[in-house]
Amino acid sequence: MNAVTPDLFESPVEFQGTVPIEPGAVLLRGFAGPHATTLHADLMRVVAEAPLRHLVTPGGFRMSVAMSNCGALGWVSDRRGYRYDAIDPDSGRPWPPLPASFMQLATQAAAAAGFEGFAPDACLINRYEPGTRLSLHQDRDERDLRQPIVSVSLGIPAVFLFGGAKRADTTQRIPLGHGDVVAWGGPARLHHHGVLPLKDAWHPFMGACRINLTFRKAR
Ligand code: SIN
Ligand code: FE2
């Protein structure tokens, strides 16, 4: 039997409740757990069409986190800068559509976090391998900053850093596991965040990696 069996990663995780991080930011422990089987199947279809790849920063550095997108718009970075684009630069075609399972999870998680009526048009898919990290940054390429961010963690654990409006503000360290969702908006919308280097680990969802789905309303 294949070790990566969807049933193995679904049953143990369920929603364990809401943990406030700061005004405008909450952690929903295990919220995505019950959706994992469907998310996994839809994710496989998306990355078959728009493979994960290492983008280059405007400064010329190759990002250690591999990325792809689905939805009407995808977040891309290259020597010209960061932006949302309807076209996958690797294929020249539109990004795969946002699967219904992704949309439903994002809307439900946002509502559970107090953001009613969230309808994302962009989902950034991040794949972290052990040793990779994401440095502190703000999500500020979206047009309407009244719209929240919904960030879903799947697979091996990571430590999420959540800071303040200024890069130098102190950060909270929030351990995130499979199925955890963080949502932020309102007074926390432009707060800095990042991910510490991942430790070696293995999880039935995707082996030795962590998948993060970041949902945004870009336009
Ligand atoms: C991001 O900020 O784009 C991703 C955060 C995460 O991987 O948890
Ligand atoms: Fe971000």
Side-chain angles (χ1 to χ4, degrees), residues 67 124 126 128 134 137 139 149 151-153 158 160 176 184 193-195 210-214 216:
M67 298 180 176
L124 172 66
N126 292 310
Y128 298 77
L134 192 67
H137 66 277
D139 287 11
I149 305 284
S151 172
V152 178
S153 295
F160 189 57
L176 296 180
W184 64 96
H193 57 278
V195 179
R210 169 177 185 259
I211 295 288
N212 168 261
L213 307 176
T214 300
R216 307 185 180 110

Side-chain angles (χ1 to χ4, degrees), residues 65-186:
V65 177
M67 298 180 176
S68 186
N69 291 279
C70 55
L73 292 164
W75 185 87
V76 289
S77 173
D78 60 20
R79 293 304 300 241
R80 291 184 290 148
Y82 305 126
R83 67 190 171 278
Y84 282 98
D85 203 315
I87 301 296
D88 175 351
D90 278 14
S91 68
R93 295 192 308 264
W95 297 103
L98 206 60
S101 64
F102 283 33
M103 180 65 103
Q104 201 178 58
L105 169 64
T107 302
Q108 287 175 6
F115 304 105
E116 290 294 337
F118 180 53
D121 56 12
C123 173
L124 172 66
I125 302 161
N126 292 310
R127 184 192 64 205
Y128 298 77
E129 283 167 343
T132 61
R133 61 191 286 268
L134 192 67
S135 53
L136 274 184
H137 66 277
Q138 294 169 293
D139 287 11
R140 56 183 311 161
D141 302 322
E142 300 72 33
R143 195 170 284 169
D144 181 1
L145 296 175
R146 292 168 306 182
Q147 299 288 331
I149 305 284
V150 172
S151 172
V152 178
S153 295
L154 297 162
I156 69 173
V159 177
F160 189 57
L161 297 175
F162 204 82
K166 295 197 285 291
R167 201 171 197 284
D169 288 344
T170 53
T171 53
Q172 295 187 53
R173 290 177 172 220
I174 303 158
L176 296 180
H178 177 72
D180 290 345
V181 177
V182 180
W184 64 96

Side-chain angles (χ1 to χ4, degrees), residues 187-205:
R189 178 62 179 74
L190 286 176
H191 284 193
H192 287 74
H193 57 278
V195 179
L196 289 181
L198 267 73
K199 296 209 170 94
D200 273 323
W202 189 92
H203 188 282
F205 186 78

